[in-house]
Amino acid sequence: MITDSTEPMQLEADAVISTFENYGAAWGLYIGLTLLLAGLVWFTFRKQHFLLKWFLSSVVLAGALCFGHPAENIDTYSPLILNTMVELFDGNKEQFFSDVKFIALVWGILFITGVAIWLLIRFLRKDKADTKKPQNKQNKPATEEKEKPSKVNNKPRGATPVEPTMGDDL
């Protein structure tokens, strides 16, 4: 049978995957590079609204940091997005859609949590700014008017324009 001829190769692959020497260091490097990529996405869109930056960064984080087993009898983990692509190429549509649903669930939780924290910070900053403002508006007389910053003594600020004349320079 075909499975008999590929069985030694499968056992060899299992041994290589489960006995990877620098497994922890590889995951550390992978997580560090993923965070760097999310930071670069954030930096690239730094002038955009928070929700756009967080949407793109959370897609990168959820897609890259979900993990799963690369094969059935393997104790180690690999990025789920890679496992999902292998399942797609192998024709295992059920597992592919299951993995995509899991990644989407993780992204949704991550995105909603980030937005909730952002809204909480905005609320606390606004509340803190409101408590710092003096409440003396009621004590000021109504007849007092603020002077406009563009005019002092009803004269415009800045240089006075000079009218050009013809023939007066002699």
Side-chain angles (χ1 to χ4, degrees), residues 36 72 128:
L36 178 65
E72 289 181 14
K128 192 175 183 181

Side-chain angles (χ1 to χ4, degrees), residues 100-118:
V100 168
K101 286 178 188 176
F102 181 72
I103 291 171
L105 176 68
V106 169
W107 171 79
I109 291 170
L110 184 66
F111 183 74
I112 290 171
T113 303
V115 170
I117 291 170
W118 174 66

Side-chain angles (χ1 to χ4, degrees), residues 12-86:
E12 184 179 320
D14 292 345
V16 169
I17 291 173
S18 63
T19 58
F20 186 63
E21 188 175 316
N22 296 321
Y23 179 72
W27 266 107
L29 180 65
Y30 179 77
I31 291 170
L33 290 174
T34 299
L35 294 175
L36 178 65
L37 178 62
L40 288 173
V41 167
W42 189 273
F43 180 75
T44 302
F45 292 96
R46 68 187 172 275
K47 296 187 183 203
Q48 302 300 319
H49 194 271
F50 170 80
L51 292 176
L52 176 66
K53 292 186 293 191
W54 180 239
F55 174 79
L56 296 172
S57 296
S58 64
V59 166
V60 168
L61 291 172
L65 295 181
C66 288
F67 53 89
H69 294 290
E72 289 181 14
N73 296 322
I74 305 297
D75 294 334
T76 58
Y77 291 95
S78 66
L80 188 59
I81 194 74
L82 298 176
N83 297 348
T84 304
M85 292 299 109
V86 169

Side-chain angles (χ1 to χ4, degrees), residues 1-6:
M1 291 184 105
I2 295 175
T3 57
D4 292 338
S5 64
T6 59

